[in-house]
Amino acid sequence: MTTTVDLAALERELLADVDKAADLGALDAVRVAALGKKGRVSELMAKLGSLPADERKAFGASVNAVKTKVSDALDTRKIDLEKSALAARLANERSDVTLPVRPGPESLGRIHPVSQVLDEVIEIFADMGFKVAEGPDIETDEMNFGKLNIPAEHPARQEHDTFYFNPKPDGSRLLLRTHTSPVQIRTMVKQKPPIRIIAPGRVYRCDSDQTHTPMFHQIEGLVIDETTHMGHLKWVLEEMCKAFFEVDAVTMRFRSSHFPFTEPSMEIDIDKGALGKPGEWLEIGGCGMVHPNVLRNCGLDPEKYQGFAFGMGLDRMAMLKYGIPDLRPFFGGDLRWLRHYGFSILDQPTLGGGLSS
Ligand code: DAH
């Protein structure tokens, strides 16, 4: 039976298959068909045991010789194919270093309008020499009201719809600050004038509709020295509005008002002309000259020191500047809203480069 196997023909056939294999996948198929467990050469080897002893040795040696030749041919062909595969990749995968960088996750992220407006406002006030001051969201009654000249029975306490914590054993209650004004107090008790700060932050009131949310943002301003007067206050606010709305002129109106911590007190209106709607006034905050009692409460002599304060709603400024009609989705965490109203992370607002471009 063995003599019927033409080993020379088998060898020629297998070597031709090796030569014909066009890629590494095809070459592996040839290897399996020849030398794999059920390959043609392996099957011949398996038959060795059934041969008469005198034929076994010579036949085994011949099959082994075929196996070695095919195996060497496979190795050589494999190296050739690998080389040409690499050459093809090098030819195709040329990299063009002049191409722009592929967009990464940072270009997909969006800056929230409140953060954007905060960055813009800080940039404007920093340019006028203001520093940023901070205070805690959880305040004492004394800081949020008492030292600001708002006594226990004052109606302003009701107006603020305060969120109180449970009373402590001594009867005192902590609260969520209802405005950023306590940062005025915290600043004046630890720093001697001249003082020039802004204090942006979260504030809380039990209120919710289209233009009110239980948490919102304010920015407070405070300037104290020996000579600062109302003219300075009006100039600072006007410069700030022009820079913020990125216009050459704004028409402002200061309406007489009342806040316990300022005397005189005013409400600040701007004419929406700057936003394309002349004749419509919009209130953006309150301001005034710091009340002598407040200075005194902070250990400052009102005969020597004077200055102004103001407070504005940051969210409201964002709505106004960027035409956002409803306040509630500001804090809804809806990504579609953020993608629509948000800002590129790479566009830092600067006075030189443009605040919102
Ligand atoms: N704290 C006031 C409020 O939340 C706003 C305000 C008014 C702040 C006048 C001031 C100011 O600093 O001078 O309603």
Side-chain angles (χ1 to χ4, degrees), residues 10-21 30:
L10 178 64
E11 183 183 304
R12 268 197 309 279
E13 190 187 328
L14 291 177
L15 291 179
D17 286 350
V18 169
D19 263 354
K20 268 188 281 170
V30 174

Side-chain angles (χ1 to χ4, degrees), residues 160 178-179 181 184 205 218 220-221 259 261-262 286-288 309-311:
H160 280 208
T178 59
H179 50 181
S181 302
Q184 289 188 31
R205 289 183 202 177
Q218 285 188 335
E220 192 82 13
F259 300 105
F261 35 88
T262 45
C287 65
F310 57 85

Side-chain angles (χ1 to χ4, degrees), residues 58-252:
F59 186 74
S62 314
V63 176
N64 243 335
V66 173
K67 183 178 172 186
T68 309
K69 272 206 177 148
V70 173
S71 170
D72 288 351
L74 281 165
D75 288 347
T76 314
R77 183 81 183 132
K78 187 166 182 223
I79 291 168
D80 285 350
L81 285 174
E82 277 170 351
K83 270 193 202 151
S84 48
L86 180 64
R89 268 186 68 191
L90 288 175
N92 287 332
E93 293 180 11
R94 218 170 299 146
S95 58
D96 181 350
V97 292
T98 64
L99 286 174
V101 179
R102 222 174 269 143
E106 53 289 323
S107 67
L108 297 175
R110 281 286 168 270
I111 299 290
H112 193 284
V114 173
S115 304
Q116 168 75 17
V117 163
L118 179 57
D119 286 346
E120 293 181 16
V121 172
I122 288 176
E123 175 75 10
I124 295 167
F125 280 111
D127 191 54
M128 293 197 258
F130 285 73
K131 288 207 158 60
V132 175
E134 283 180 316
D137 288 17
I138 297 175
E139 268 297 7
T140 60
D141 202 273
E142 186 60 8
M143 287 287 177
N144 194 78
F145 295 121
K147 287 221 177 335
L148 282 161
N149 202 33
I150 313 175
E153 58 305 333
H154 198 282
R157 294 207 179 200
Q158 268 79 57
E159 281 164 29
H160 280 208
D161 293 320
T162 312
F163 286 113
Y164 284 100
F165 288 82
N166 290 335
K168 293 199 255 186
D170 66 3
S172 67
R173 288 188 296 178
L174 290 173
L175 49 83
L176 289 175
R177 67 177 178 190
T178 59
H179 50 181
T180 41
S181 302
V183 186
Q184 289 188 31
I185 305 296
R186 290 184 174 273
T187 304
M188 284 189 279
V189 294
K190 55 170 201 260
Q191 186 191 329
K192 283 272 161 277
I195 292 170
R196 219 183 280 176
I197 56 122
I198 50 167
R202 293 182 178 154
V203 299
Y204 306 82
R205 289 183 202 177
C206 188
D207 204 353
S208 185
D209 61 32
Q210 192 178 343
T211 53
H212 296 89
T213 48
M215 187 280 298
F216 58 104
H217 299 84
Q218 285 188 335
I219 184 154
E220 192 82 13
L222 177 72
V223 174
I224 303 286
D225 56 27
E226 295 179 20
T227 54
T228 286
H229 54 70
M230 286 247 285
H232 297 129
L233 165 60
K234 291 171 83 170
W235 182 86
V236 163
L237 290 174
E238 195 175 318
E239 286 305 304
M240 182 256 144
C241 283
K242 284 197 294 195
F244 179 70
F245 291 109
E246 301 175 67
V247 292
D248 293 332
V250 281
T251 310
M252 302 186 74

